[in-house]
Amino acid sequence: LSPVCLGSLRRAASINAEYMGLAAENNVRLKEKKKDRGLTFLYPNLAVKNEDEPLMRKKRTFRFIKQGNYEKKAHAMRAQWLARDLERIGERESGDDDDEDYDDDSDIENPNDIALTSGTVDLIPEVEWWDLELLNGAQYDESFDMQMITSLIEHPVQIKPAVPQPEIASMPLFLTAREKKKIVRMRKKEKQDAITDRIRLGLQQPPEPRVKLSNLMRVLGNSAIQDPSAVEKKVRAQVEKRKIKHTLHNAERKLTPQERKLKKRAKLKEDTSNETQVALFRVTDLSNRKHRFKIDVNAQQYNLTGCCIINPKCNLILIEGGPTGIRKYTRLMLHRIKWVVKNPSNSSGQLDGDDDSDDGNANASKQNLCSLVWQGTVLKRCFRTFAMENCKSIAIARKTLEAQGVAHYWDKGIAFKADEF
C-alpha cells in the first residue's frame, strides 16, 4: 500500500477508538446519575428488578374463569335493583317523594326494570290463562277436564278464494332451426337402431332391398345379367306396389268433408267462461247485400254472437266472443271489406234477380265508412247467436237491445260524434 493510504487508515482507526471511548464514558455517567437521583417509573410494571439480568417478556397463558362467576355477579346486580325498587315503592306509599333520590341512579340502565303503574308488583299467577280451560279448578293440583281432551284433531275451515288464482304458465322452450333438425335426426337414428337390433336378434325379418331401375345393377349384380327382362319386370312390380301403398296410406289419413269442417270449427272455438271480448262498430250504410252477407257469415265462422242493427239513422254491429275471433273480425270490418264501391251504378251490391236495388244508394256508398266505437271485456255473453235486425225506428232499435240488457250500446253508438265517425 502507498504511504498515503496507510496514513488515512491510521487516522480513521484513531477517530473510531476515541468515539467508542466517549460513548462508554457517557453510559457510565448516566447510570451513576440515575442511582443518585433515585429514578422512579410511572408504571411499576415497567421497572426493572435487576439491571444485570436481561429483560424478558413473560409467557402468555390461558386465564380460565371459574364456573358461576358471572352468575354471582348477575344475582348481586338483580338484588341491588330489587332493593332500589322496593325502596322507591315504600317512599311512594309513605308520601315522601323526593325527586333528588330518584335521580341518583337514573344513569344506570337496568334491563329488568318494569314500568310500575301502581304501587304493587304483579306476581306470577297460579294458573296461566291458556290452561284454565283444561283444568277443573284454579290450580294445577286439580284434575284435568277430560272432556276437553279427545283423540280428534281440530282442523281450521278452509275458505275458497273469491277469485280463482290463475295457473302459472311455464315458459315454452323455443328451439332454433338447427336444433330442431338435430332432434329429428336423433329420433330417426334411435328408431333405426331399434329396428336393427330386432333384426340381429331374429325378432324381425330384414326388409327387402329398395330396388329401382336406377340402382338395378348395383343391388342385384350378377342375377340382373343372367335374365335382365325378368329382373326388370320384377323391379317395375315393386315400384308399382310401393306407389299403391303410399296412395292407400294417404287415403286412410285423409279427412272427410264433415271431419274437416269439425276440425276447422274446433280450431276457431274459444273458451269464454271467464271473460268475453266485445266490439261495437258503426257503419254509415248497410244497403249493400254483399256487405251484409260478409258480416253475417264471418260472425258465424268465428263463433261470435251478437246482432246487426240496420236503421236509417244508425247502423250498429255488436259482436262478442273470444279474443282471436274478435281480432280477426275487427280486421275484417276495418281493413278487408271495401265499404266504398268503385262502380257507382251497382253500388247497392244487389245480387242478380234482386228487385230491391235502389239507385239512390250510389251517392251514399261513396261516403260509406266503418268505425270502431268501443271495444272491451265483459263477464259473459248476452246473445246466443248472431242475428240481423232490421229496425225502422230508433225506438224499435233501442228496444231490441234493451231486451238483451245492452241498451247502453245503442246510446254509445248514437252519441258517437260525427267528426270522429
Side-chain angles (χ1 to χ4, degrees):
L1 295 174
S2 63
V4 178
C5 293
L6 290 174
S8 61
L9 289 175
R10 290 193 188 98
R11 285 194 297 271
S14 62
I15 291 170
N16 191 10
E18 292 177 0
Y19 176 77
M20 294 298 294
L22 292 174
E25 291 179 1
N26 290 334
N27 290 335
V28 172
R29 290 175 183 175
L30 289 174
K31 289 181 180 180
E32 291 177 356
K33 287 181 180 180
K34 289 180 182 180
K35 291 179 181 180
D36 297 339
R37 294 177 184 177
L39 185 62
T40 57
F41 294 92
L42 181 62
Y43 297 99
N45 56 353
L46 296 178
V48 180
K49 295 181 180 179
N50 190 1
E51 296 181 357
D52 298 335
E53 295 180 2
L55 185 62
M56 300 294 291
R57 178 180 292 180
K58 293 183 179 180
K59 294 183 179 180
R60 295 180 180 180
T61 58
F62 291 105
R63 292 184 298 173
F64 296 100
I65 299 173
K66 294 183 179 180
Q67 186 177 2
N69 189 12
Y70 290 114
E71 293 180 359
K72 291 178 181 179
K73 291 182 180 180
H75 290 317
M77 293 174 68
R78 292 193 186 97
Q80 182 181 357
W81 290 330
L82 182 60
R84 185 188 61 183
D85 294 339
L86 293 175
E87 184 180 354
R88 289 183 179 181
I89 293 170
E91 291 177 357
R92 289 182 182 179
E93 291 179 353
S94 61
D96 300 336
D97 295 338
D98 295 334
D99 296 338
E100 296 178 358
D101 297 340
Y102 298 139
D103 296 339
D104 294 340
D105 300 333
S106 58
D107 297 337
I108 302 175
E109 295 183 359
N110 184 5
N112 297 324
D113 282 346
I114 301 173
L116 299 175
T117 57
S118 62
T120 59
V121 181
D122 295 336
L123 300 177
I124 298 175
E126 296 291 338
V127 179
E128 300 292 348
W129 61 269
W130 53 78
D131 294 333
L132 287 174
E133 296 182 359
L134 301 176
L135 298 173
N136 290 327
Q139 293 182 356
Y140 283 108
D141 297 337
E142 302 292 338
S143 61
F144 290 95
D145 188 2
M146 301 305 296
Q147 295 181 357
M148 299 295 294
I149 301 174
T150 61
S151 59
L152 303 177
I153 300 175
E154 183 178 357
H155 297 279
V157 180
Q158 296 182 358
I159 301 175
K160 294 183 179 180
V163 180
Q165 297 294 333
E167 296 182 359
I168 301 175
S170 59
M171 192 69 181
L173 180 62
F174 297 101
L175 302 177
T176 60
R178 187 175 182 181
E179 292 173 344
K180 291 178 181 179
K181 291 180 181 179
K182 184 177 180 180
I183 291 174
V184 171
R185 289 197 305 270
M186 291 174 63
R187 289 177 180 174
K188 287 183 178 180
K189 186 175 182 302
E190 292 176 358
K191 187 177 179 180
Q192 187 63 31
D193 292 344
I195 296 173
T196 304
D197 294 340
R198 291 176 62 84
I199 292 173
R200 288 176 179 176
L201 295 173
L203 301 176
Q204 183 178 347
Q205 293 295 331
E208 296 181 358
R210 189 182 178 85
V211 184
K212 298 184 292 184
L213 294 176
S214 58
N215 62 354
L216 175 65
M217 298 300 297
R218 185 170 65 254
V219 174
L220 297 180
N222 295 331
S223 59
I225 298 175
Q226 294 176 0
D227 194 355
S229 300
V231 170
E232 182 181 357
K233 184 178 180 181
K234 182 179 178 181
V235 170
R236 290 185 182 275
Q238 289 183 2
V239 172
E240 189 67 22
K241 183 179 178 181
R242 289 196 298 268
K243 185 177 180 181
I244 294 173
K245 182 180 178 181
H246 177 72
T247 305
L248 293 176
H249 183 263
N250 289 342
E252 290 178 359
R253 295 177 64 252
K254 187 177 181 180
L255 299 176
T256 61
Q258 185 66 20
E259 291 176 348
R260 193 182 299 109
K261 187 183 295 184
L262 294 175
K263 181 181 178 181
K264 190 173 182 180
R265 286 184 180 179
K267 188 177 180 180
L268 295 174
K269 192 174 181 180
E270 297 180 85
D271 183 17
T272 57
S273 58
N274 294 330
E275 62 178 11
T276 304
Q277 299 284 338
V278 179
L280 182 64
F281 300 93
R282 180 173 175 177
V283 183
T284 306
D285 183 25
L286 283 178
S287 58
N288 195 325
R289 286 192 59 191
K290 292 182 179 180
H291 294 166
R292 295 197 301 269
F293 177 79
K294 292 178 181 178
I295 290 170
D296 187 10
V297 172
N298 281 274
Q300 296 177 11
Q301 289 178 352
Y302 293 140
N303 296 322
L304 303 176
T305 58
C307 65
C308 177
I309 303 296
I310 302 174
N311 187 269
K313 294 186 177 180
C314 181
N315 298 311
L316 289 183
I317 301 169
L318 174 64
I319 54 171
E320 52 189 10
T324 304
I326 294 293
R327 177 172 53 82
K328 292 184 177 181
Y329 198 85
T330 303
R331 178 170 175 78
L332 170 75
M333 297 294 293
L334 300 180
H335 301 284
R336 291 175 56 194
I337 296 180
K338 306 300 180 183
W339 297 102
V340 179
V341 181
K342 295 182 180 180
N343 187 7
S345 61
N346 191 20
S347 60
S348 61
Q350 302 293 338
L351 298 177
D352 296 338
D354 190 359
D355 297 336
D356 296 335
S357 62
D358 189 3
D359 295 338
N361 293 330
N363 297 329
S365 61
K366 294 180 181 180
Q367 301 176 358
N368 195 10
L369 297 174
C370 176
S371 180
L372 178 63
V373 179
W374 180 81
Q375 184 175 2
T377 305
V378 296
L379 186 60
K380 59 180 181 179
R381 295 175 184 255
C382 297
F383 296 87
R384 294 184 179 180
T385 57
F386 186 85
M388 306 287 290
E389 300 290 344
N390 192 356
C391 304
K392 297 182 180 180
S393 64
I394 295 177
I396 296 174
R398 195 178 191 284
K399 189 175 181 181
T400 302
L401 294 177
E402 189 176 2
Q404 303 296 334
V406 290
H408 54 282
Y409 290 141
W410 177 261
D411 299 336
K412 181 71 175 176
I414 287 291
F416 195 61
K417 294 182 180 180
D419 54 351
E420 296 179 359
F421 183 65

